[in-house]
Amino acid sequence: MASTAQHASKFQRFLNSETGPKTVHFWAPVFKWALVIAGINDLQRPVEKLSGTQQIALFATGAIWTRWAGFVIKPRNMLLASVNFFLGGVAGYQLIRIVNYRREAGDSPMQVFNYIVNGNPETTKKEEPAKN
């Protein structure tokens, strides 16, 4: 009976903790894993279909929030830090895929940067209205 009481107290501590399932500090990271899963699914997507600006935003979010959730904010939220670490990792890998794809196509580093920030230059030129 004593071991059951100890397990109940551990569960109660988890349930009532500052980052437990009764708080947004638990559920926000749980739902954020959907972004990581979507990023993993995008690994099968052709590189030319990836958005460079989206990957930069996801990488920056992952890097910044990993540091803040794991080391700065009180209470420390390791669940939030872990999901952001993986979010940044997946986005960083996608950025590497984009850079390698453009370098193999013969782009200079500046052209690669412009491609990531502005998208495909051929697509942008076709969408611009003709000047009279």
Side-chain angles (χ1 to χ4, degrees), residues 8 12 41 43 52 55 63 74 80 84 87 90 93 107 117 119 122:
Q12 286 295 334
N41 284 335
L43 294 175
Q55 299 308 320
K74 302 293 183 214
L80 183 60
N84 281 298
L87 182 66
V90 169
Y93 181 75
D107 287 358
V117 173
E122 289 82 30

Side-chain angles (χ1 to χ4, degrees), residues 40-93:
I40 291 170
N41 284 335
D42 281 349
L43 294 175
Q44 299 171 351
R45 180 178 284 208
V47 179
E48 60 272 8
K49 300 281 186 186
L50 297 174
S51 168
T53 52
Q54 178 182 1
Q55 299 308 320
I56 289 172
L58 291 172
F59 178 77
T61 298
I64 292 166
W65 279 102
T66 297
R67 180 185 184 283
W68 279 89
F71 305 105
V72 177
I73 296 174
K74 302 293 183 214
R76 288 177 54 193
N77 191 339
M78 296 315 287
L79 180 59
L80 183 60
S82 67
V83 71
N84 281 298
F85 177 80
F86 283 101
L87 182 66
V90 169
Y93 181 75

